[in-house]
Amino acid sequence: MIRLDNVSKQNGTRLIFVEASAALHRGEKIGLVGPNGAGKTTLFRMITGQEEPDEGLILVDRGVSIGFFSQDVGEMEGRSAVAEVMAGAGPAAEIGAELSRLEAAMADPAQIDELDAIIERFGEVQSRFEELDGYALDGRAREVLDGLGFSQEMMDGDVGKLSGGWKMRVALGRILLMRPDVMLLDEPSNHLDLESLIWLETFLSGYDGALLMTSHDREFMNRVINKVIEIDAGSLTSFSGDYEFYARQSALNEKQLQAQFERQQAMLAKEIAFIERFKARASHAAQVQSRVKKLDKIDRVEPPKRRQTIAFDFRPAPRSGDDVANLRGVHKRYGSKVIYEGLDLLVRRKDRACVLGINGAGKSTLLKLVTGTAEPDAGSVALGGSVKMGYFAQHAMDLLDGGSTVFETLDAAFPHAGQGALRTLAGAFGFSGDEVEKRCRVLSGGEKARLVMALMLFDPPNFLVLDEPTNHLDLATKEMLITALAQYEGTMLFVSHDRHFLAALSNRVLELTPGGIHQYDGGYTEYVARTGQEAPGLHK
């Protein structure tokens, strides 16, 4: 359906693709992987014609429809969320819009002389609209929006009043309703809660078109894709299988290549040693020349491309008291919406409690109450003795000084740390070399999240409160964070929609329900086994 044939692409002085080839066939669901900046978004833009390759061809079969979802959703206002989603539904949406115009024309006294022609056209358009199942469009649009977490009120409200994250869900809904022959999805799992993510998995698994997508959620990738294309150092390499298969195969390939490289290096060293030893002896001249010619003809094995391995070791956190946070009889409402009535909760030392609940259940509100960024309407919230708290929330990224560099930000926070220690810290969180001189205003969402995380974890608190800490983080940084937090000896209270993160780090589950808080000892994996579902909103 889509073929890349010896494509080369350069951005400024940076080579993105060098004679790269790959194909997307009917029914394939491909995960596009590679380090940040490898060219994933550039590839999408070339397929959709927004950018041209410098050399080579991108071939799309005649008549193939493509739907592209990207993080840049553009302006949305003046329509309801339902209307915005329906507007992307291809021919049915266009014909539906003409039908509405003709209905208005039939009721317009100024066009009475043309009524016969309008009625005739209305009949033709209505017939075509019925062929395309257009009258079911509204219902299908609402079904998609419901799956993406919208209430009926939000569906019918002005899309312009929604936050950026909800507008992204609307943009994603447009592509899903369109059901094109090929979907290109750039990070569709960002900004979704766990329930919406699981719904999207099911939708994409049942979608019979071809799919090419990026995602930083490995569990989501595993459930959806059946092939991986890796972008690395300008080339495209295909792997048949899910993400776990790719990760295993990639590691095996690297190990084999390293062994091959080392064997060749040992052989070369031996040959060179012989040549050096005997090159001055006339009696060995023929053998020396023979070996020199042999070395010239050998195809040199390149060592495997070493990706920067990100690592971070926690300093030991000071010990807190056994009772870390205690909520007693807490009431909280926003306007007429009741969030909690008489909530009781005790967070104990060494708890790693993940908070689950449907949209609006009060997950972030619970973290805000515990951290003191929100006050209860009634009841009490108390922290225990010797508790030193670190709070990661999305708004923390907005508090960075845009004019300061990454290094200046770290140096201002830790003036006595020493330049070497701060550069090591920056490197551990993905800022190597000159990247520490980047100003905060030009950092991507992922880079800002990494910097805020570095600020929080360098001098570690003994109580970490994390609200969606993996949003914007790439797979390598997520793995680093999971590895680091697995060694962390303090207490954690966190919200995340990343099931790999939840399963790896939780030892207690707090499920927020309208009837109160249900507590489960054992981590997220045990919760899934006991309840039979991966998220509370799937009860229905």
Side-chain angles (χ1 to χ4, degrees):
M1 299 177 84
I2 297 175
R3 200 166 80 248
L4 281 77
D5 195 1
N6 286 319
V7 167
S8 295
K9 179 72 175 174
Q10 190 167 339
N11 276 354
T13 58
R14 196 161 66 92
L15 287 170
I16 308 291
F17 296 107
V18 183
E19 296 182 352
S21 297
L24 173 63
H25 301 294
R26 195 173 302 280
E28 284 187 329
K29 291 179 177 155
I30 298 177
L32 193 58
V33 304
N36 275 350
K40 297 187 287 291
T41 301
T42 301
L43 182 61
F44 282 138
R45 292 176 64 82
M46 287 196 299
I47 291 172
T48 55
Q50 293 169 270
E51 290 189 33
E52 294 290 328
D54 298 333
E55 293 176 23
L57 296 171
I58 293 180
L59 305 165
V60 180
D61 287 354
R62 189 185 299 277
V64 166
S65 58
I66 296 176
F68 176 37
F69 167 76
S70 75
Q71 297 293 301
D72 182 14
V73 299
E75 285 301 312
M76 287 185 192
E77 58 184 357
R79 288 196 279 211
S80 69
V82 169
E84 192 69 44
V85 167
M86 286 168 63
E94 292 161 22
I95 291 166
E98 186 179 355
L99 209 55
S100 297
R101 288 194 297 273
L102 290 166
E103 282 174 349
M106 285 192 292
D108 182 1
Q111 300 188 53
I112 194 75
D113 294 343
E114 301 162 46
L115 190 57
D116 289 346
I118 292 169
I119 290 171
E120 186 180 347
R121 177 60 183 160
F122 182 83
E124 292 167 4
V125 172
Q126 188 177 45
S127 174
R128 179 68 181 132
F129 193 60
E130 285 170 354
E131 277 176 35
L132 292 169
D133 202 19
Y135 287 109
L137 203 56
D138 182 87
R140 284 175 24 230
R142 289 177 186 277
E143 197 178 315
V144 167
L145 287 171
D146 179 63
L148 293 174
F150 283 76
S151 65
Q152 291 297 326
E153 187 181 354
M154 289 171 74
M155 290 181 203
D156 294 315
D158 181 355
V159 72
K161 292 181 179 174
L162 296 175
S163 68
W166 284 101
K167 283 180 179 173
M168 285 207 178
R169 296 193 196 201
V170 171
L172 178 59
R174 285 177 70 136
I175 306 299
L176 301 182
L177 183 66
M178 179 184 170
R179 291 189 85 99
D181 299 320
V182 176
M183 279 193 207
L184 307 178
L185 304 180
D186 193 4
E187 291 295 342
S189 51
N190 271 4
H191 302 286
L192 296 184
D193 54 41
L194 194 47
E195 289 79 15
S196 301
L197 195 60
I198 292 165
W199 176 87
L200 181 58
E201 266 171 21
T202 307
F203 184 97
L204 293 176
S205 299
Y207 165 63
D208 55 9
L211 172 68
L212 181 65
M213 74 169 190
T214 61
S215 175
H216 291 154
D217 188 318
R218 62 188 288 164
E219 194 61 45
F220 177 68
M221 290 262 267
N222 276 330
R223 307 285 182 93
V224 174
I225 65 173
N226 53 30
K227 182 177 173 181
V228 169
I229 292 179
E230 179 188 53
I231 306 182
D232 199 9
S235 62
L236 297 171
T237 310
S238 296
F239 298 78
S240 293
D242 62 11
Y243 182 82
E244 292 300 331
F245 172 81
Y246 153 74
R248 287 194 306 272
Q249 194 61 42
S250 186
L252 183 63
N253 291 354
E254 187 173 300
K255 193 175 176 183
Q256 289 172 341
L257 187 59
Q258 182 65 28
Q260 199 180 342
F261 172 72
E262 287 171 3
R263 281 196 302 273
Q264 190 181 70
Q265 289 298 303
M267 181 273 289
L268 291 172
K270 193 174 172 183
E271 295 294 321
I272 289 166
F274 180 90
I275 292 165
E276 288 297 316
R277 185 178 173 191
F278 294 110
K279 66 183 178 183
R281 296 190 190 180
S283 59
H284 286 75
Q287 285 175 282
V288 167
Q289 282 305 310
S290 169
R291 296 197 182 198
V292 168
K293 286 176 184 176
K294 177 183 166 186
L295 288 188
D296 287 342
K297 289 178 183 174
I298 285 175
D299 284 334
R300 302 295 171 111
V301 176
E302 291 293 322
K305 296 182 286 288
R306 293 283 179 199
R307 289 201 185 88
Q308 183 192 5
T309 47
I310 304 169
F312 180 72
D313 294 322
F314 276 100
R315 296 178 184 177
R319 182 184 166 126
S320 70
D322 287 340
D323 291 353
V324 174
N326 197 354
L327 287 74
R328 307 285 296 168
V330 166
H331 290 254
K332 185 67 181 175
R333 67 167 61 213
Y334 292 113
S336 60
K337 183 172 173 55
V338 175
I339 308 294
Y340 305 125
E341 278 189 310
L343 175 72
D344 292 327
L345 174 66
L346 176 62
V347 178
R348 300 180 297 267
R349 190 172 71 87
K350 292 208 171 184
D351 273 352
R352 293 163 170 266
C354 66
V355 185
L356 301 181
I358 61 170
N359 257 336
K363 299 186 292 292
S364 292
T365 300
L366 178 62
L367 303 194
K368 287 174 182 173
L369 289 167
V370 167
T371 56
T373 49
E375 294 291 328
D377 299 333
S380 64
V381 179
L383 295 182
S386 304
V387 168
K388 179 187 173 189
M389 185 191 297
Y391 178 35
F392 178 89
Q394 300 304 306
H395 70 79
M397 296 188 283
D398 301 329
L399 303 178
L400 295 170
D401 177 3
S404 295
T405 65
V406 169
F407 186 82
E408 286 166 353
T409 303
L410 294 173
D411 190 42
F414 310 111
H416 305 299
Q419 195 167 113
L422 292 182
R423 287 190 178 274
T424 301
L425 172 68
F429 283 85
F431 299 102
S432 56
D434 293 341
E435 288 181 325
V436 296
E437 301 307 325
K438 275 187 176 179
R439 304 230 170 251
C440 291
R441 71 167 67 90
V442 303
L443 298 180
S444 68
E447 288 170 327
K448 286 180 180 176
R450 295 203 309 264
L451 179 54
V452 171
M453 204 74 71
L455 289 166
M456 187 172 69
L457 298 181
F458 182 64
D459 183 17
N462 51 31
F463 182 30
L464 284 178
V465 181
L466 310 172
D467 194 357
E468 294 289 3
T470 61
N471 269 9
H472 307 292
L473 296 186
D474 62 25
L475 284 159
T477 311
K478 265 188 204 178
E479 289 302 325
M480 177 278 288
L481 190 59
I482 288 171
T483 302
L485 291 175
Q487 309 300 318
Y488 171 67
E489 295 190 349
T491 304
M492 287 172 59
L493 180 68
F494 62 98
V495 173
S496 175
H497 67 257
D498 189 298
R499 283 158 294 179
H500 180 54
F501 190 86
L502 290 169
L505 295 173
S506 59
N507 62 17
R508 188 179 175 201
V509 175
L510 308 176
E511 182 187 63
L512 302 179
T513 75
I517 192 163
H518 295 170
Q519 304 189 39
Y520 298 84
D521 286 327
Y524 175 73
T525 305
E526 289 87 343
Y527 165 83
V528 173
R530 285 173 64 182
T531 62
Q533 84 268 315
E534 294 183 299
L538 304 181
H539 282 301
K540 61 185 182 182

